Amino acid sequence: GQSLEQPSEVTAVEGAIVQINCTYQTSGFYGLSWYQQHDGGAPTFLSYNALDGLEETGRFSSFLSRSDSYGYLLLQELQMKDSASYFCAVRDSSYKLIFGSGTRLLVRP
Amino acid sequence: EAEVAQSPRYKITEKSQAVAFWCDPISGHATLYWYRQILGQGPELLVQFQDESVVDDSQLPKDRFSAERLKGVDSTLKIQPAELGDSAMYLCASSFLPGQGAGELFFGEGSRLTVL
């Protein structure tokens, strides 16, 4: 079967750094993406990794290790507005985008 | 800024009734997706269109769900009859490329269905 595992909830303090991990098991792999979703809102694209290594976009970075079927999203200089759910998603061999169950991030003052 | 339009935003219906959701993707996006998201879970793909053709509907409960994209632009997702377990957010998304590269998906605000 296909599965993506990520922690259900993470809490961090404003200004801190937080890492959200994702491990996956899918039939084929064409990249790992991260999406952010605020309560009641639509998921929005954050980042994409097709190759091993770190991709940086402002305060957010995403890492991929294909040999370990593992990736993470790193959020730096946390702000209150970063409180949201974060989903990792994998494109499988049929290019279908499969989402994890999401990590709810709570940023405290 | 171009957006994916969905309607209705909210729908309350009784079980065994029929419901329909509409989606208008971003202009020029050939690929359209319908996802179902149960509260506290990740989006689950129901159906994926490339232009007017279905490329994946393996998770669509075909005994009660149907989807069409007749002219390769807007799309309709129908449920008949609705069941209590269908209560969820129905998200429509579109992308320019079907899956190459990042293939970023642009999501609409969703249609929240409550079945009583």
Side-chain angles (χ1 to χ4, degrees):
Chain A
Q2 310 205 87
S3 67
L4 288 85
E5 300 290 332
Q6 49 181 132
S8 59
E9 195 170 295
V10 173
T11 301
V13 178
E14 194 174 13
I17 299 173
V18 71
Q19 179 174 312
I20 300 174
N21 299 320
C22 174
T23 57
Y24 58 88
Q25 182 176 8
T26 57
S27 56
F29 177 81
Y30 286 99
L32 178 71
S33 300
W34 289 91
Y35 284 76
Q36 178 192 60
Q37 186 179 32
H38 287 96
D39 284 348
T44 56
F45 175 82
L46 289 177
S47 68
Y48 171 75
N49 294 70
L51 302 175
D52 292 352
L54 190 69
E55 295 282 342
E56 298 181 65
T57 308
R59 295 188 296 115
F60 294 0
S61 302
S62 56
F63 172 83
L64 174 65
S65 169
R66 288 174 297 170
S67 61
D68 295 322
S69 298
Y70 163 77
Y72 66 72
L73 179 69
L74 191 73
L75 296 83
Q76 304 181 70
E77 302 173 16
L78 280 174
Q79 301 176 9
M80 299 298 291
K81 67 179 181 179
D82 296 331
S83 291
S85 292
Y86 293 85
F87 297 91
C88 60
V90 167
R91 284 205 181 274
D92 68 5
S93 55
S94 61
Y95 288 114
K96 191 165 58 178
L97 193 63
I98 302 167
F99 284 82
S101 56
T103 299
R104 191 173 181 86
L105 171 64
L106 176 63
V107 180
R108 295 185 288 109
Chain B
E1 183 176 315
E3 295 181 343
V4 175
Q6 287 190 248
S7 66
R9 283 298 309 278
Y10 304 93
K11 178 69 177 180
I12 300 174
T13 190
E14 294 184 345
K15 63 180 182 179
S16 80
Q17 295 299 303
V19 294
F21 305 111
W22 176 81
C23 172
D24 190 13
I26 293 173
S27 177
H29 281 194
T31 309
L32 184 147
Y33 315 76
W34 283 101
Y35 281 85
R36 176 172 59 187
Q37 186 176 27
I38 295 171
L39 193 62
Q41 298 183 20
E44 174 196 14
L45 181 67
L46 293 176
V47 61
Q48 178 176 336
F49 289 93
Q50 182 64 27
D51 297 310
E52 66 275 10
S53 301
V54 173
V55 297
D56 190 301
D57 63 356
S58 57
Q59 300 301 311
L60 188 71
K62 299 181 187 63
D63 57 335
R64 298 185 301 107
F65 286 64
S66 64
E68 61 182 16
R69 193 184 184 197
L70 292 176
K71 296 183 179 179
V73 181
D74 59 338
S75 175
T76 302
L77 177 70
K78 297 179 180 178
I79 308 174
Q80 183 174 19
E83 295 181 353
L84 296 178
D86 296 333
S87 294
M89 177 74 83
Y90 290 84
L91 293 163
C92 179
S94 68
S95 67
F96 180 64
L97 297 171
Q100 301 167 30
E104 176 185 351
L105 267 62
F106 294 84
F107 283 86
E109 292 294 323
S111 295
R112 181 167 293 284
L113 173 65
T114 301
V115 182
L116 304 176

